[in-house]
Amino acid sequence: MAEEYDYESLGNNSSMAQNAVAGALAGVAEHCAMYPVDSIKTRMQVIQSGRPPVAVSPSAHPSFKAASRNLWRGVNSVVLGAGPAHALHFATYEYCKEAFVGPNDDEHHTLGFAAAGACATLAHDFLMNPFDVVKQRMQLRDSTYRSVRECARQVYLKEGLGAFYISLPTTLAMSVPFQSIQFATYEFFRKSLNPTGEYDPKTHVIAGGLAGAIASSITTPLDVAKTLLQTRGSSHDPRIRNATGFWDAMAIIKQRHGLRGFFRGYKPRVLTNMPSAAISWSVYEYFKWFLDTQQTAQQVSPDKSLLRL
């Protein structure tokens, strides 16, 4: 008779290594699938001023194929960083969830899930922030960097090590509430849609998508400030190049575009995070389930061999 797996028990049965591997695969899948839309969001959020206009002839416009390829520029930085960062992210979340909520998470422990998500975010962002800086520099429309290595090297030589972490406080100010909201709403929708605890991939897609849409909508103003700080070194505007931190970035945005400026790139941000969260949670839960079933099957096989003897 086939072994039946209770979905609700998967997190408790999975080891830290299994959670890390599942998280790494989920992170790479999430970022790569929605990378072109993320590039559009970055370009919409960047404040471009203080640069003389350049006349461009119609023949100089790139073809559709070239323009599409241009949207993938910098994806290697995400691949290099997302795997380890998401492995740490999900492993930390599962560990903290068990510590804050306990092994029995049948009820809605919103604060416990949110706190676990916040702890996971702190670990993830400290590791991922330098890769995110390189990614956004390469996503810019006028970026001249040909590789991740060249971009990282030039940023370090021109702006120093601090350039990779100047946006970290802003990133944390955005990511901690973002992930806290996402984890709490995901767990809420997952339990509401699947109260029996049976394995149901459709539940992960719907719950993940709703969680990503809600979290990204609420935290868009902080994401605009983060983008400004991470791309300041590539700006031709002296005011932006000399931005010193979160509050300075917020002041620049309000001064240039008013309150509407805090929602630049809102639509592509939601369009990025809604499917990417659905992909991330679906891939993560699937591989966590797959690794757990493989381990269980290996444990059952020796027992059957002993019975034959």
Side-chain angles (χ1 to χ4, degrees):
M1 184 175 181
E3 184 75 22
E4 292 184 1
Y5 293 94
D6 181 7
Y7 170 73
E8 293 287 345
S9 69
L10 294 178
N12 301 327
N13 294 337
S14 301
S15 67
M16 185 71 73
Q18 288 174 335
N19 292 330
V21 171
L25 293 169
V28 172
E30 168 197 348
H31 285 289
C32 290
M34 300 307 299
Y35 191 83
V37 184
D38 185 64
S39 293
I40 295 172
K41 184 250 340 175
T42 297
R43 294 176 184 184
M44 289 181 68
Q45 288 182 341
V46 170
I47 299 175
Q48 295 284 9
S49 60
R51 184 182 184 184
V54 179
V56 180
S57 63
S59 60
H61 288 290
S63 63
F64 175 78
K65 183 177 179 180
S68 300
R69 187 168 59 247
N70 186 265
L71 292 175
W72 288 94
R73 193 167 51 195
V75 70
N76 291 340
S77 178
V78 167
V79 174
L80 289 172
H86 275 71
L88 182 62
H89 187 232
F90 281 102
T92 303
Y93 173 69
E94 293 290 352
Y95 177 83
C96 292
K97 183 175 77 170
E98 187 170 346
F100 297 154
V101 177
N104 184 15
D105 61 350
D106 293 335
E107 300 178 2
H108 294 291
H109 299 279
T110 304
L111 291 178
F113 294 134
C119 292
T121 302
L122 290 171
H124 169 275
D125 285 355
F126 187 81
L127 180 59
M128 188 66 188
N129 208 76
F131 295 97
D132 203 36
V133 171
V134 172
K135 178 206 76 170
Q136 291 202 318
R137 294 293 179 94
M138 296 188 71
Q139 282 179 329
L140 296 178
R141 186 178 287 104
D142 56 354
S143 175
T144 58
Y145 301 116
R146 292 171 296 179
S147 67
V148 170
R149 182 178 178 181
E150 179 190 353
C151 180
R153 183 172 177 273
Q154 290 298 320
V155 171
Y156 175 74
L157 291 176
K158 294 178 180 178
E159 303 171 53
L161 185 63
F164 295 103
Y165 284 100
I166 187 173
S167 63
L168 182 60
T170 305
T171 300
L172 292 174
M174 177 198 71
S175 295
V176 169
F178 175 89
Q179 295 294 353
S180 297
I181 294 167
Q182 182 183 197
F183 278 103
T185 52
Y186 171 77
E187 295 288 356
F188 174 81
F189 286 122
R190 180 173 71 84
K191 293 180 183 299
S192 299
L193 294 170
N194 188 20
T196 61
E198 295 178 358
Y199 181 70
D200 181 19
K202 183 174 67 176
T203 297
H204 315 321
V205 174
I206 297 173
L210 289 172
I214 293 170
S216 60
S217 298
I218 295 172
T219 57
T220 293
L222 298 170
D223 188 54
V224 177
K226 184 199 77 167
T227 299
L228 184 146
L229 290 172
Q230 288 188 336
T231 59
R232 64 171 193 158
S234 300
S235 176
H236 299 273
D237 189 324
R239 179 77 175 89
I240 296 175
R241 287 186 68 89
N242 295 317
T244 56
F246 173 70
W247 293 112
D248 198 17
M250 298 290 275
I252 294 172
I253 295 167
K254 188 174 187 303
Q255 178 187 9
R256 301 290 173 83
H257 298 281
L259 293 178
R260 292 185 63 183
F262 293 106
F263 290 91
R264 291 167 64 92
Y266 169 79
K267 290 181 180 179
R269 174 168 164 76
V270 174
L271 288 174
T272 299
N273 281 279
M274 189 173 183
S276 66
I279 293 168
S280 178
W281 280 110
S282 299
V283 173
Y284 172 66
E285 299 288 6
Y286 169 75
F287 277 105
K288 193 169 68 170
W289 171 79
F290 175 77
L291 294 169
D292 185 71
T293 56
Q294 290 294 312
Q295 185 182 48
T296 304
Q298 290 175 359
Q299 292 174 349
V300 171
S301 296
D303 294 340
K304 289 183 178 180
S305 299
L306 289 173
L307 288 173
R308 292 194 193 98
L309 294 174

